[in-house]
Amino acid sequence: TGFQADIVDQVQSHALDFGIVPMDPKQDDLIFEPLIDEEMIVVASKPLANLIEHQGWDHISGIQEIGFGSRCVYHTEGLKLLSEMGLPAGSHSNGFASTELVRQVVTCGLGVALVPKISMAQELAQGSVVPLPMPRKITFAHGIVRHKKRVLNTPSKVFYREIVEYFSNASAP
């Protein structure tokens, strides 16, 4: 577990055999194999979404971006996207350590978040959160990353193949 930069650093330093990251790190010494495209959505509680829709971003004070903090690629991309959507510059953002906390804080109406759609499936189905219209579609190609020069031991080879095979079968029609 960890943030993309941490995982990439550990793979590059050979502290990890491989890792799963939300996007291609585009490093010459690494091999990146895409596993799954993750659709991202911006969500808010239904009451907050209604206020944004009827009053606009500029007329609502205190809206914050909820995420995992500035080291997270979701959070960073979320700030860019929310700025495009009209969130005033300089708005507060808040980082939490778990998806569950992000879900709860957004559901309570304390802010908006860019999250994988699958992570909010239950809340979307219940109507406790709603997706906000986005100016562009965002997907992250999660994948497995390993060092080009790393020789995997047998258990690591088996596990690596199992992960790749699992996602290959999951995305097959």
Side-chain angles (χ1 to χ4, degrees):
T1 64
F3 296 107
Q4 170 140 341
D6 298 333
I7 294 168
V8 168
D9 287 347
Q10 290 177 37
V11 170
Q12 286 179 311
S13 69
H14 299 278
L16 293 176
D17 288 335
F18 50 84
I20 296 177
V21 293
M23 60 193 292
D24 186 347
K26 298 186 184 340
Q27 299 288 325
D28 292 338
D29 59 341
L30 301 178
I31 297 169
F32 176 80
E33 275 190 76
L35 297 173
I36 188 167
D37 286 332
E38 191 74 68
E39 180 184 355
M40 305 296 288
I41 58 172
V42 174
V43 291
S45 67
K46 197 175 244 181
L48 182 55
N50 284 333
L51 284 174
I52 293 168
E53 181 182 349
H54 292 96
Q55 295 180 19
W57 293 94
D58 292 333
H59 296 92
I60 304 171
S61 63
I63 295 179
Q64 57 185 333
E65 189 218 1
I66 306 300
F68 299 103
S70 61
R71 294 178 57 218
C72 176
V73 294
Y74 295 169
H75 192 85
T76 305
E77 187 62 31
L79 284 174
K80 289 184 220 169
L81 181 67
L82 288 167
S83 175
E84 291 172 34
M85 294 170 65
L87 183 67
S91 293
H92 185 69
S93 67
N94 220 329
F96 294 94
S98 74
T99 303
E100 183 60 30
L101 283 171
V102 170
R103 253 196 314 268
Q104 289 179 20
V105 170
V106 171
T107 300
C108 291
L110 298 177
V112 297
L114 176 70
V115 294
K117 185 176 183 179
I118 194 167
S119 72
M120 295 297 274
Q122 183 177 348
E123 292 79 3
L124 289 163
Q126 294 169 342
S128 57
V129 300
V130 295
L132 298 178
M134 295 171 31
R136 58 187 166 88
K137 183 178 180 176
I138 295 179
T139 58
F140 283 97
H142 284 70
I144 194 165
V145 63
R146 63 184 172 94
H147 199 284
K148 285 181 177 177
K149 294 182 179 178
R150 179 72 173 208
V151 176
L152 298 178
N153 63 29
T154 301
S156 291
K157 282 180 192 175
V158 170
F159 188 55
Y160 186 93
R161 285 188 201 128
E162 287 294 319
I163 291 170
V164 171
E165 191 173 305
Y166 172 83
F167 283 99
S168 294
N169 292 335
S171 63

